[in-house]
Amino acid sequence: MMSPDNDAKEALKQGEFKKSAEAAAATASSMAQDAAESAKATLAAKSTEAKDGLAGEMHDTAAALRRAAHEMRDGSPQGSTFSYLADGLADMADSVKDQDVSDVPGIVNNFARNNPMAFLGGAALLGFAATRFAKASEPSRDPVTPARATPAYPAQTAPMGVDYD
């Protein structure tokens, strides 16, 4: 059987433990909130940076389309199409730059509905640009390298008078 003094001490220890646990929980909660706010701010900054970069690329592409349209014959269908695409892309770039990051998908959707030809043309140009970029970043291949020769594809021989060694 415990004495009244021991009961009081035990109750005091439990009270202190409970207060310590509550303080630790409050500290952990505060730290988690701070980390979440920091991550949110970083994400917002990176998203805004990406959005502004996208808008800049769209303006650059529109400028290139305008230059291409200017180099075409006056009144040619290609020149008119390039001008139309450039105008639509520049308008979309302005809309993207002036809006919040969360609004960008809606802007793109509305642009596609209102300007289907410009949207499809821009998507095609983006595809061509991506393909070109991918091909440019591939390591170069030397078709004359004997290590790659197979019976079906023998190594090329040097033209008469040319020595590769």
Side-chain angles (χ1 to χ4, degrees):
M1 183 167 193
M2 295 184 110
S3 71
D5 260 353
N6 285 341
D7 287 344
K9 287 180 184 178
E10 189 64 30
L12 185 61
K13 283 181 183 178
Q14 286 180 354
E16 288 175 8
F17 178 75
K18 185 177 178 182
K19 286 180 185 177
S20 294
E22 289 172 351
T27 301
S29 176
S30 175
M31 290 174 71
Q33 271 185 327
D34 290 346
E37 289 297 321
S38 176
K40 188 176 178 182
T42 301
L43 180 62
K46 292 288 184 183
S47 297
T48 300
E49 183 180 315
K51 175 193 65 126
D52 291 344
L54 173 66
E57 288 296 323
M58 291 167 70
H59 274 292
D60 292 346
T61 303
L65 285 170
R66 283 193 180 100
R67 284 192 302 274
H70 182 64
E71 291 176 6
M72 298 279 172
R73 289 180 293 139
D74 287 336
S76 72
Q78 296 89 352
S80 298
T81 301
F82 284 170
S83 291
Y84 179 76
L85 290 172
D87 292 342
L89 197 57
D91 290 344
M92 186 173 164
D94 290 337
S95 295
V96 167
K97 189 168 180 85
D98 296 339
Q99 298 297 321
D100 189 45
V101 174
S102 62
D103 297 336
V104 171
I107 293 168
V108 172
N109 191 10
N110 288 337
F111 178 80
R113 285 184 184 169
N114 296 332
N115 304 295
M117 185 175 170
F119 182 77
L120 290 174
L125 286 173
L126 183 61
F128 292 138
T131 302
R132 204 154 158 79
F133 177 76
K135 283 185 178 182
S137 60
E138 284 182 2
S140 65
R141 296 182 182 172
D142 183 11
V144 183
T145 305
R148 292 193 185 139
T150 64
Y153 298 98
Q156 294 179 352
T157 57
M160 193 181 258
V162 177
D163 188 15
Y164 285 126
D165 294 327

